[in-house]
Amino acid sequence: QVQLVESGGGLVQAGGSLRLSCAASGTLLRADSMGWSRQVPGKQRELVAVITRGGISDYGDSVKGRFTISRDNAKNTVYLQMNSLLPEDTAVYYCFGNLVDGLGRGKDYWGQGTQVTVSS
């Protein structure tokens, strides 16, 4: 069974840094686009960053210049380096990816979410 497993969330002071990781596992041929979204209770999920298999990335306006997305195709893993964190970055961060399973079927998957809390 294909799944995405996140790690790296936690509590950090404003101005600090955190690095999130998300690994795809299971019977997997490849991972195409992967990325991160975040959600605050009562608000819509917001795109944070996305990266193609070829390494082309895009960011939400609120994180440009502070966050960097990267990936390791050999490990089917995507990373999110978050610098200069602000209290408004506090949210549950969800990894997502378009994953192709062993039968060649592509499908969007989501991780379980990891909490990031930035204290002022």
Side-chain angles (χ1 to χ4, degrees):
Q1 182 178 353
V2 175
Q3 62 179 345
L4 293 170
V5 180
E6 300 131 333
S7 60
L11 174 65
V12 65
Q13 287 190 330
S17 299
L18 278 176
R19 188 190 195 211
L20 305 182
S21 299
C22 174
S25 63
T27 304
L28 190 66
L29 281 183
R30 69 177 187 275
D32 288 335
S33 291
M34 300 183 76
W36 297 89
S37 288
R38 65 187 183 187
Q39 189 166 24
V40 175
K43 293 189 177 182
Q44 284 192 330
R45 195 168 291 192
E46 172 192 18
L47 175 67
V48 175
V50 62
I51 186 168
T52 67
R53 184 171 179 80
I56 298 172
S57 58
D58 196 14
Y59 296 89
D61 287 341
S62 62
V63 306
K64 284 180 180 176
R66 299 188 297 121
F67 291 11
T68 302
I69 190 170
S70 61
R71 64 187 290 167
D72 184 333
N73 290 335
K75 296 180 179 179
N76 291 317
T77 299
V78 63
Y79 306 97
L80 185 68
Q81 178 66 43
M82 304 185 292
N83 298 330
S84 302
L85 282 160
L86 304 170
E88 47 263 46
D89 293 318
T90 296
V92 177
Y93 284 69
Y94 295 91
C95 171
F96 63 88
N98 184 269
L99 308 179
V100 182
D101 67 15
L103 297 179
R105 299 172 300 191
K107 180 182 172 183
D108 291 336
Y109 291 83
W110 290 86
Q112 79 283 0
T114 185
Q115 177 71 45
V116 171
T117 302
V118 184
S119 63
S120 57

